[in-house]
Amino acid sequence: MSKMKLSIYISLAVCCVMKPVYADDGNHCAVFMIERGIPQPDKIVSEITGKKIDDLPSLGSCSREQTLMMIANQNAILSAEPTAIADHIYGTWLSDDIYFEQLGVFLSGSEVLKIGDDVNFDYDLNHNLLFRNIIPFEQYWLQSFGKFEEFWDDEGEYSGLVAQGFFPEAVLEGESVLVCSPPPHPLIYKDISFNSKRRDDLILKSRLNFFDEPVSLRIYNDTLVLKTKVNLLSGQYSEVERTYTRVKITSPADALRIIVAMRLSGARYFRCLTHKISTQDRDMIELISPLSLPELLDKVSNIIMLRREVEIMRTAKKDSRGEDSKRTNMLNDISLKISELEDQLKPISNKMASRNDFCIWL
């Protein structure tokens, strides 16, 4: 895929009261990173990692050290430690890896991990007492494109689940553990295609299917550091460390609903809105006024469910002439409802598009 011009909007996550100012000077990338919830690289990070990415293009006005932070939080990698408290790794974690997406050379979307009590694992745990000391996890891929019928259910819930598994609690002591070897710790992959092109779908899944190998977890503030191995095309394995930022449990899905329903750019708005929703950003609340956030989410969920209904009806097998006429009338009624809801949200999307300081360009 050819490189496209970067046009990414970013979210305010670290300093909710600070208003970013668009600028072309050397501080522009720093403001970008604040908006994304990405920390500036510490001096020690620059000294250690500055030569690692000489061959990687910089992102906009970002230095090589700052660009490296768009792949993984290097501060956390250097400083993270294992924890003996399970609650420290419980939660919803948004991947920090945005580098290739911003370059436009990879499939657009974001990885999200859910760990602990909020995971709804569909495996029967009652058959084996060995399951007492485990922590369930789910891995998701959230993207703003794809058929409504495939990616959304009739209640407006996104179904981009990639895999489910368990972390044995030994991982909390800093040990590398195999999370997928059944029994007693099965790894279950979901049968879902994220791209109509088989090649692109397999490339994405090869990037996501890293729980097949031993995994260890460490914590640094609100950053999760995951260490594992990836299988290279040569048949050799390479050790990698990935980092994730803690967000509120519903914020990634809520951000995705807004983007899909309002036909916004996923690459431009997803991480931005995820952090703004997670922090209840005051600037965002003012922008969507007079609607409250629950009211906005209710409207976008309705749009998604109605569009899904239209998609199902249009792809259904045609019946008799009378049934076709009835279906046409129903489609017209649903399309009218969608148009009415979209018109109600148009002022909000227009305000987003006109505000360079809401989610700044890189």
Side-chain angles (χ1 to χ4, degrees):
M1 183 185 299
S2 60
K3 294 180 183 177
M4 66 180 180
K5 183 178 179 181
L6 297 179
S7 56
I8 313 301
Y9 276 82
I10 316 304
S11 123
L12 179 60
V14 175
C15 183
C16 298
V17 297
M18 170 184 170
K19 261 195 174 181
V21 178
Y22 182 87
D24 289 323
D25 57 25
N27 292 325
H28 181 56
C29 184
V31 178
F32 169 93
M33 296 178 74
I34 291 173
E35 286 279 285
R36 296 286 289 204
I38 297 172
Q40 288 286 290
D42 291 342
K43 182 179 179 181
I44 187 172
V45 172
S46 298
E47 293 174 351
I48 293 175
T49 64
K51 296 182 180 180
K52 281 188 177 181
I53 56 172
D54 289 343
D55 296 332
L56 295 180
S58 293
L59 292 175
S61 61
C62 301
S63 67
R64 286 199 300 266
E65 292 77 24
Q66 289 172 319
T67 299
L68 189 60
M69 298 288 281
M70 310 295 176
I71 300 173
N73 184 337
Q74 304 300 317
N75 296 332
I77 288 175
L78 291 173
S79 306
E81 296 181 352
T83 176
I85 303 174
D87 287 354
H88 287 178
I89 67 169
Y90 284 7
T92 301
W93 303 90
L94 175 63
S95 173
D96 293 325
D97 187 357
I98 64 170
Y99 175 77
F100 291 107
E101 179 183 342
Q102 310 315 313
L103 283 181
V105 297
F106 203 71
L107 299 176
S108 178
S110 296
E111 180 192 359
V112 173
L113 296 181
K114 290 187 177 181
I115 302 175
D117 293 337
D118 294 315
V119 172
N120 296 314
F121 200 93
D122 58 8
Y123 189 84
D124 182 10
L125 305 182
N126 297 321
H127 73 286
N128 197 323
L129 294 178
L130 292 175
F131 282 110
R132 286 180 176 176
N133 297 318
I134 59 171
I135 300 171
F137 74 88
E138 292 176 331
Q139 180 191 35
Y140 290 84
W141 181 255
L142 275 65
Q143 63 186 35
S144 58
F145 58 90
K147 293 184 177 180
F148 285 93
E149 184 179 356
E150 294 177 353
F151 287 96
W152 299 88
D153 64 21
D154 55 8
E155 296 181 355
E157 296 291 331
Y158 183 76
S159 57
L161 183 62
V162 178
Q164 296 174 308
F166 299 102
F167 294 123
E169 285 198 18
V171 76
L172 300 180
E173 301 171 5
E175 301 176 15
S176 292
V177 295
L178 194 64
V179 300
C180 67
S181 104
H185 302 299
L187 182 66
I188 300 175
Y189 287 109
K190 294 300 179 178
D191 184 19
I192 185 170
S193 295
F194 293 99
N195 196 285
S196 58
K197 293 183 179 180
R198 178 173 172 80
R199 177 197 61 187
D200 293 340
D201 188 59
L202 292 176
I203 289 174
L204 174 60
K205 288 176 178 176
S206 68
R207 175 184 171 185
L208 294 173
N209 290 354
F210 53 81
F211 286 111
D212 285 331
E213 299 302 321
V215 172
S216 66
L217 303 175
R218 294 177 293 139
I219 290 290
Y220 175 71
N221 296 331
D222 275 334
T223 301
L224 178 73
V225 179
L226 185 152
K227 186 175 183 180
T228 186
K229 295 179 180 179
V230 295
N231 191 354
L232 304 177
L233 293 178
S234 62
Q236 298 177 333
Y237 285 86
S238 176
E239 193 172 81
V240 297
E241 288 182 291
R242 305 185 178 193
T243 64
Y244 302 79
T245 299
R246 188 193 301 274
V247 294
K248 289 187 177 178
I249 181 172
T250 60
S251 57
D254 289 342
L256 190 66
R257 288 189 187 95
I258 293 172
I259 288 167
V260 170
M262 297 174 63
R263 304 184 190 277
L264 302 173
S265 165
R268 176 172 168 177
Y269 283 105
F270 175 72
R271 190 177 179 93
C272 168
L273 288 176
T274 296
H275 281 288
K276 285 185 179 293
I277 293 170
S278 186
T279 60
Q280 294 292 292
D281 176 54
R282 186 172 59 189
D283 197 29
M284 179 197 68
I285 300 301
E286 291 176 355
L287 185 141
I288 67 175
S289 178
L291 292 180
S292 66
L293 182 57
E295 289 171 336
L296 174 62
L297 293 174
D298 182 63
K299 289 182 183 295
V300 297
S301 293
N302 284 335
I303 289 175
I304 290 172
M305 288 186 288
L306 290 172
R307 287 186 191 161
R308 180 179 183 271
E309 189 174 347
V310 167
E311 190 174 271
I312 292 174
M313 292 178 66
R314 285 177 175 169
T315 57
K317 183 178 180 181
K318 290 186 177 181
D319 300 316
S320 65
R321 185 183 301 273
E323 289 297 319
D324 288 343
S325 177
K326 182 179 179 181
R327 182 187 291 110
T328 299
N329 291 334
M330 292 178 62
L331 283 171
N332 290 336
D333 290 340
I334 296 173
S335 297
L336 181 60
K337 292 179 183 177
I338 294 174
S339 296
E340 290 173 351
L341 287 169
E342 289 177 335
D343 287 342
Q344 293 173 25
L345 299 182
K346 191 169 294 183
I348 296 176
S349 60
N350 288 342
K351 283 191 286 185
M352 283 188 187
S354 65
R355 285 276 306 274
N356 285 334
D357 63 341
F358 181 69
C359 289
I360 70 168
W361 295 94
L362 175 59

